[in-house]
Amino acid sequence: MASHRDFMLEALKEAERAIAHGDVPVGCVVAKDGEIIGRGHNRREERGDPLAHAEMLALRDAAESLGGWRLDGCDLYVTLEPCAMCAGAMSQARIARLFYGARDFKAGAAGSVFDFLSDPRLPHRLDVFEGICEERCRSLLSRFFRDKRR
């Protein structure tokens, strides 16, 4: 069975794919019962789509794999703390646990800027774990933005 680190390394591979089309390198995988059932990486620039975040695409892919929108018992691994839109989608999809690499101090909705996912008013809350392969996730983002500024 794969470890949390193994799943995050797969998310990092997805993040690297985003760089090829000029997107911020965020990658995501959804796992169930030790198997990856959904993958995604940022494609906003490539598609001209404000909703094409890594998490949204991975959730869609996982739903297609399972044949339904309820992703009960699934874990989501993403290289950067999710924004409010993606956090809301995870809650709506009934994701069980979120694992993320680096905090997002500009838009993070899993504890950094907002703590959306633990709000008791939501009908579904998920467990959140941070810091999986944190340095690698942060480094990939730092390199991308440093190269963009050059």
Side-chain angles (χ1 to χ4, degrees):
M1 191 135 134
S3 70
H4 298 306
R5 184 178 184 280
D6 293 333
F7 287 125
M8 189 60 77
L9 291 175
E10 288 298 315
L12 277 160
K13 288 178 190 175
E14 285 294 323
E16 289 169 357
R17 293 179 65 196
I19 296 170
H21 41 80
D23 272 289
V24 175
V26 176
C28 182
V29 297
V30 177
K32 183 169 181 145
D33 299 328
E35 300 289 328
I36 294 174
I37 61 165
R39 293 177 173 272
H41 59 274
N42 273 358
R43 299 184 98 147
R44 291 182 306 169
E45 298 297 330
E46 179 187 45
R47 294 182 177 178
D49 179 356
L51 305 180
H53 289 208
E55 301 95 323
M56 301 295 278
L57 299 173
L59 287 167
R60 180 174 289 139
D61 192 33
E64 288 174 10
S65 293
L66 293 180
W69 64 270
R70 290 180 192 269
L71 302 180
D72 296 308
C74 292
D75 295 331
L76 188 140
Y77 295 81
V78 63
T79 56
L80 182 66
E81 180 181 0
C83 69
M85 173 182 71
C86 294
M90 286 175 220
S91 177
Q92 290 295 316
R94 312 297 195 263
I95 290 292
R97 299 184 299 176
L98 162 66
F99 299 87
Y100 70 86
R103 285 184 157 212
D104 182 349
F105 293 105
K106 293 182 180 177
S112 293
V113 177
F114 308 103
D115 200 1
F116 181 84
L117 293 171
S118 66
D119 191 314
R121 294 170 293 183
L122 292 176
H124 176 77
R125 287 179 296 285
L126 43 145
D127 295 324
V128 177
F129 304 89
E130 66 176 274
I132 312 295
C133 300
E134 180 178 7
E135 185 53 41
R136 286 185 71 175
C137 294
R138 208 172 338 122
S139 176
L140 182 61
L141 287 160
S142 295
R143 253 190 344 266
F144 174 79
F145 286 113
R146 184 181 60 240
D147 291 348
K148 275 277 200 211
R149 285 189 288 272
R150 286 186 183 157

